[in-house]
């Protein structure tokens, strides 16, 4: 892989488009990633106006408001449709497949505002995007050509990979994304765990797993937002996030096409691992756009320990 700078170094002057160009990325893919980045500027603005946009209410001027997740969906969808390079899009918000252009190069699945229920309590939320070649959305995650997320926290950051490492950018005062960390790497094991789902519904394997982490002194860090929780693992370079199969729900909660595939792609690119507890997330053959799966994602050895305990105890 040709890196723009040495691993671990910081270059504030490189913007997203230049980074993609210097890595010699496909021009249409560059365009698509930059369209998503541009859309996120409008999304962050909507979040920051403090106008919570509860659907069915009106704003100061008596205009009808859109819920923030609906608004974010419209912003992103419009940019993707006008990019000129997209064949098919699918949003977590509307759950409808939109055939944009049969000659388009890419299919895009996205969650425009993941964790939107956290906006009104002022916790971090994010946008997640998965990009595959061709118009077929139901491809296993290993076929993704790129994945990215944008985290709307105290700072707005964008993390992307086109299969050549994982790179982090930060939005500056001009609302441009500039490179902050190139070639993000995750350690083999960690000291943080983020457990989703109700503990009293964990299976024996997951319960033994979480207890083993606690015995080893792992600290609990769970925000309830998938993007900030994954970003924590990514940027601290350590940790494990799980949203497991539960006794009353063997499929888990998180959705394969919009959440798990893009995050698994990014985490693997950074040297981590992502598993259902039984198989690699990126090898799952999707059966439908609603597919969900349990997930153990983060430091490689921590995911492997989960797999061992689940194989033994379920
Ligand atoms: P949310 O329901 O608030 O939209 O998949 C959505 C998600 O949030 C993830 O962002 C988050 O990791 C998970 O669900 C949280 O689920 P719990 O509320 O069950 O913890």
């Amino acid at each position: 892989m040709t890196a723009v700078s040495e691993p671990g170094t910081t270059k504030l002057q490189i913007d997203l488009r230049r980074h993609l160009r210097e890595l010699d990325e496909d021009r249409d893919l560059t365009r698509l990633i930059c369209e998503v980045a541009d859309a996120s500027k409008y999304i962050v603005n909507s979040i920051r106006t403090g106008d919570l946009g509860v659907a069915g209410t009106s704003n100061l001027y008596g205009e009808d408001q859109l819920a923030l997740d609906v608004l974010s969906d419209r912003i992103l969808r419009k940019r993707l449709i006008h990019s000129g390079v997209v064949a098919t899009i699918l949003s977590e918000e509307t759950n409808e497949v939109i055939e944009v252009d049969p000659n388009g190069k890419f299919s895009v699945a996205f969650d425009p505002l993941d964790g939107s229920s956290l906006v009104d309590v002022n916790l971090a939320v994010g946008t997640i995007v998965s990009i595959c070649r061709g118009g077929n959305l139901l491809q296993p995650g290993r076929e993704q050509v790129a994945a990215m997320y944008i985290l709307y926290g105290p700072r707005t950051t964008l993390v992307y990979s086109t299969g050549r490492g994982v790179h982090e950018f930060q939005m500056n005062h001009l609302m441009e994304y500039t490179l902050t960390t190139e070639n993000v790497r995750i350690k083999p094991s960690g000291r943080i765990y983020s457990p989703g789902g109700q503990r009293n519904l964990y299976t024996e394997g997951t319960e033994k797993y979480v207890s083993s982490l606690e015995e080893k002194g792992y600290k609990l860090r769970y925000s309830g937002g998938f993007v900030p929780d994954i970003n924590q693992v990514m940027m601290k370079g350590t940790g494990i996030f799980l949203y497991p199969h539960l006794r009353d729900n063997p499929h888990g909660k998180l959705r394969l096409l919009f959440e798990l595939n893009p995050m698994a792609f990014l985490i693997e690119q950074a040297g981590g691992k992502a598993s259902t507890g039984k198989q690699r997330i990126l090898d799952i053959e999707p059966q439908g756009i609603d597919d969900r799966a349990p997930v153990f994602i983060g430091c490689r050895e921590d995911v492997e320990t989960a797999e061992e305990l689940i194989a033994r105890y379920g």
Side-chain angles (χ1 to χ4, degrees), residues 92 111 113-118 196-198 222 224-227 229 241 243 253-255 259:
E92 199 267 349
D111 188 345
L113 202 62
D114 186 82
S116 53
S117 64
L118 301 175
Q198 301 99 303
Y222 183 72
F226 193 44
V227 179
D229 283 335
F241 174 96
Y243 206 112
K253 175 181 183 186
L254 300 183
R255 296 183 69 179
E259 294 173 309

Side-chain angles (χ1 to χ4, degrees), residues 72-96:
S72 308
D73 175 58
R74 291 199 186 170
I75 293 167
L76 195 46
R77 193 177 348 153
K78 201 168 159 195
R79 301 296 294 222
L80 292 174
I81 290 173
H82 286 104
S83 69
V85 296
V86 165
T88 322
I89 60 175
L90 172 65
S91 165
E92 199 267 349
E93 188 55 39
T94 55
N95 234 15
E96 80 184 294

